[in-house]
Amino acid sequence: MNFQQLRSVREAARRGFNLTEVAAALHTSQPGVSRQIRELEEELRIEIFERAGKRLTRLTEPGKTVLPIIERILQDAQNLHNAAQDFSGRDTGELTIAATHSQARYALPGAVNDFRALYPRVTLNLHQGSPHQIAQLLISGEADIGIATEALAEYEQLVALPCYRWTHCVIAPKGHQLLDGQPLTLERLAGFPIVTYEPGFTGRSHIDAAFANEGRKPHIVISAMDADVVKTYVALGVGVGIVAGFAFDEDRDRELGAIEAGHLFEINTTRLAIRRGTLLRAYALSFIETFAPTLTPEAVGAALAQARDGSHAE
Amino acid sequence: MNFQQLRSVREAARRGFNLTEVAAALHTSQPGVSRQIRELEEELRIEIFERAGKRLTRLTEPGKTVLPIIERILQDAQNLHNAAQDFSGRDTGELTIAATHSQARYALPGAVNDFRALYPRVTLNLHQGSPHQIAQLLISGEADIGIATEALAEYEQLVALPCYRWTHCVIAPKGHQLLDGQPLTLERLAGFPIVTYEPGFTGRSHIDAAFANEGRKPHIVISAMDADVVKTYVALGVGVGIVAGFAFDEDRDRELGAIEAGHLFEINTTRLAIRRGTLLRAYALSFIETFAPTLTPEAVGAALAQARDGSHAE
DNA sequence: TATCCTTACGGAATTCGTAAGCATG
DNA sequence: CATGCTTACGAATTCCGTAAGGATA
């Protein structure tokens, strides 16, 4: 048994059982991968993959049992490297953060800047994606840290820690009727065409829930993945916007006015997620702390240690 | 990085940093082991072992961090084999049980017999030792299941599950004054020379505690590791014995009489222990259930899953 | 027919054990 | 000076990629 065999199996399971693709991902030849898998199956005396003729189609029952263990081993191998590099390389390495647009655009820049000054020799990668894409990046190990308001807490394989709480605001072009100082209600809001986030992004679930709760059906004319697009269309007069409070900036968004809407929509919690069982580099913990000061290295360490079980409990 | 390197490191840490011994244990040459360790250290760019000149003396700080991860990987590698063999070999393999004399002699024979009938193709090994030795066998992976009344619950690395409860009895040669039907008290008992278990064995702790509690000092003339030795000396008239209730058999021990002593000494709980994070073969779970019917495979599985954390939490 | 896995083969790289060297208690 | 780790070297094995073969959608 060797690690290359395990990697081949894991990658095959991940990439839809296409060994040609696996070979490319592992920078090796396709027959090589084929052999690695066969050899492991022979050694364990089980078939991990079901084969339709020559093609792999899916996991067998033994394969389903064995795969989580293989993933744990490979993850621990990664942890081993990380732990070691914390002693040797100290402040060199890589840190990959996956975040939604909102976070990348408004919440992260400060922390990223501080981090780059503190750890100039760490290559920092920032991936942007939907909350579910972020979760997938974390689970596959392609990203170390994920930040989003939605979805992250739903995944068994992730540990999601609350970072900060925020509320939505309603925006409209200056001089718009909505900005007349009258109290803002859902009823009134529902009278206008609305521009806001797509479902699954940046607290959209709370927006939908609030309207549904009152039995109202808002007229959403444009839904976008980010506040910048929303603001652009609101400025054009397409409708009124609902965006995250932190996405509105009086200085920059001079043509718009904003009203706090924390009383209309449930408060949102932005979460930071890490795959269970992951051992983060020291600088990654440091980044987390600068981003969310409540998440001290000790707190994160404790959360991860508590979370080591369940990785394949039934 | 490969498994042989990891095994070399683990073994070196276990065997007092003597690479010659490690080589013997791993069935390889001593220079080989030396190389494996160096190569891993080079790859990780840390020193795992401190060296005094050429000899390894102890773990470095990085080594202390990294060793638990290495042990987890190797344990999971074993788990992988076990899981696979549950599908392939089904009912062939090995099962190593470590137990104290008391358990091996009185509690286990029934379960062992049933098990051998059920799984004739499983090689069953029975190691006998003190509770602490049993714990060490479990931790090192040399034994799969440990059974003892003492000590097992004290180890962080083990999961100890209660099997059954029992009480001590007092034995004496037939016709002995103690068997006159008068109620048995500690005071009366302390008046005779006593033969019982050694400290650390089969509920001896409860015996000591009971006397200490009343401020009495029993006169223990012989202490042995097992009830058979105790009974032998009691039969010779050396003194009265205190043994586990299940160790007395009216038919076999005709020259002795016994009195229940559950009212004198605290009730004992015999425990079955498994190393945390271990994945047991299906037949091992089956053995456990025949030995202690409350410990169903589901119950044991749940206990082990719950216990996966803490393996190196701080 | 194109895609995808397996088998076959030969060269390259790795691995491993023996033997010699050297430091330490 | 005996024990124990390292270095050196050569043989054996393993590993891996290319090329060809065969099955399936």
Side-chain angles (χ1 to χ4, degrees), chain A residues 1 3 6 68-83 275-280 301 304-312, chain B residues 1-3 5-7 9-11 13-14 40 63-82 138-141 156-157 275-279 304-305 307-314:
Chain A
M1 188 163 80
F3 285 98
L6 303 183
I69 305 178
I70 291 177
E71 300 214 294
R72 270 229 309 284
I73 294 176
L74 291 172
Q75 183 174 337
D76 268 336
Q78 180 64 51
N79 288 345
L80 188 55
H81 271 110
N82 285 354
R275 181 173 59 172
R276 282 177 197 274
T278 299
L279 189 152
L280 289 176
L304 284 170
Q306 288 232 337
R308 182 142 321 110
D309 62 2
S311 56
H312 74 285
Chain B
M1 186 163 84
N2 62 52
F3 285 98
Q5 292 169 349
L6 302 183
R7 275 190 288 269
V9 168
R10 175 178 68 176
E11 230 47 38
R14 282 188 182 167
L40 183 62
K64 283 181 200 162
T65 306
V66 146
L67 184 62
I69 305 178
I70 290 177
E71 301 213 293
R72 271 229 307 284
I73 293 176
L74 291 171
Q75 184 174 336
D76 268 335
Q78 181 62 51
N79 288 345
L80 187 56
H81 271 110
N82 286 353
L138 289 170
I139 290 168
S140 70
E156 267 291 326
Q157 302 105 307
R275 181 174 58 173
R276 282 177 196 271
T278 299
L279 190 152
L304 284 170
R308 183 143 318 111
D309 61 2
S311 56
H312 74 287
E314 284 159 38

Side-chain angles (χ1 to χ4, degrees), chain A residues 279-301:
Chain A
L279 189 152
L280 289 176
R281 296 288 307 271
Y283 57 70
L285 293 171
S286 165
F287 174 86
I288 291 174
E289 195 176 12
T290 59
F291 179 69
T294 46
L295 301 179
T296 60
E298 295 73 36
V300 176

